[in-house]
Every structure is written in C-alpha cells, then in structure tokens.
Amino acid sequence: MIVDITDKLNFEESPKLKIKNVTVEVNADAPTMLKVMQRLGNGDDMKPKDISDMYELLFDEKEGKKLDAMKLSFNDFQTVIMGAVSAVTGVDMDEVSAKKED
C-alpha cells in the first residue's frame, strides 16, 4: 500500500517575518529546526553563542544581511530569533519566550 501525502506538505513557502518595512524569510526545513530546538532546549543556560547559532541557522546570508543592516539591540535581536521560531513552529511567541526564560 502507498499513501500519497504530497498534498499535505508545503514545499513552496517558508515563513516570513516583517520588521518595519523589511521582510525576512526564515529557514524552516526540519533539519534546521531540529538544530534550533536543541539549542533552545528547555531555556536553561542559554548563552549568546546559542542565540548566534540559532540566527545563523534560521536566516541565510541574504536574509541575515537585511537583519544586520537594522543594527538591532541584543534584546530586539533575541525577539527576532524567538519570532522566527514561533513562525516556524506555530507556537505563540510569548510561549517560546517563556520557555527561554524558565
């Protein structure tokens, strides 16, 4: 028996974040997100390196340049990362942030 699930998959569209008048696309493939979720863990002992690693995983070079040009504060940078995780996972951004802070 073969079950065709092609219609249930989304090959065309990656989530996007809008920040002011700039739209950035988020890498949403499963291997990337598994790596991001490992770094996010249960929120314990998150270090700036973890945030940086997630940024590099979530945004390709082109999208990263858009974000870099914004000169975001570290807190805003963290918000962008949590927003990207939220956009990919469908988990409310406040829940992602709460997990990070627990």
Side-chain angles (χ1 to χ4, degrees):
M1 170 187 253
I2 296 174
V3 177
D4 187 350
I5 62 167
T6 305
D7 291 345
K8 297 185 183 324
L9 305 176
N10 181 358
F11 296 102
E12 307 299 319
E13 194 174 302
S14 292
K16 294 176 178 67
L17 297 178
K18 183 171 176 148
I19 306 164
K20 291 189 176 186
N21 62 344
V22 176
T23 302
V24 291
E25 187 170 312
V26 180
N27 292 332
D29 61 275
T32 295
M33 287 313 300
L34 288 171
K35 292 173 188 173
V36 167
M37 299 310 272
Q38 286 176 334
R39 281 168 180 76
L40 186 60
N42 62 3
D44 292 344
D45 241 3
M46 288 256 316
K47 295 174 178 49
K49 172 82 170 115
D50 297 318
I51 300 291
S52 177
D53 289 348
M54 287 191 286
Y55 166 75
E56 290 177 9
L57 289 165
L58 290 165
F59 302 102
D60 67 19
E61 186 177 343
K62 176 184 163 195
E63 303 304 309
K65 285 181 181 181
K66 292 179 190 178
L67 291 168
D68 291 348
M70 291 181 193
K71 304 287 186 197
L72 298 169
S73 70
F74 188 69
N75 283 337
D76 289 346
F77 185 74
Q78 287 181 322
T79 299
V80 169
I81 300 301
M82 294 306 120
V85 172
S86 175
V88 173
T89 62
V91 175
D92 183 78
M93 195 167 150
D94 291 334
E95 290 179 42
V96 173
S97 293
K99 183 173 186 168
K100 177 183 68 98
E101 294 168 2
D102 284 344

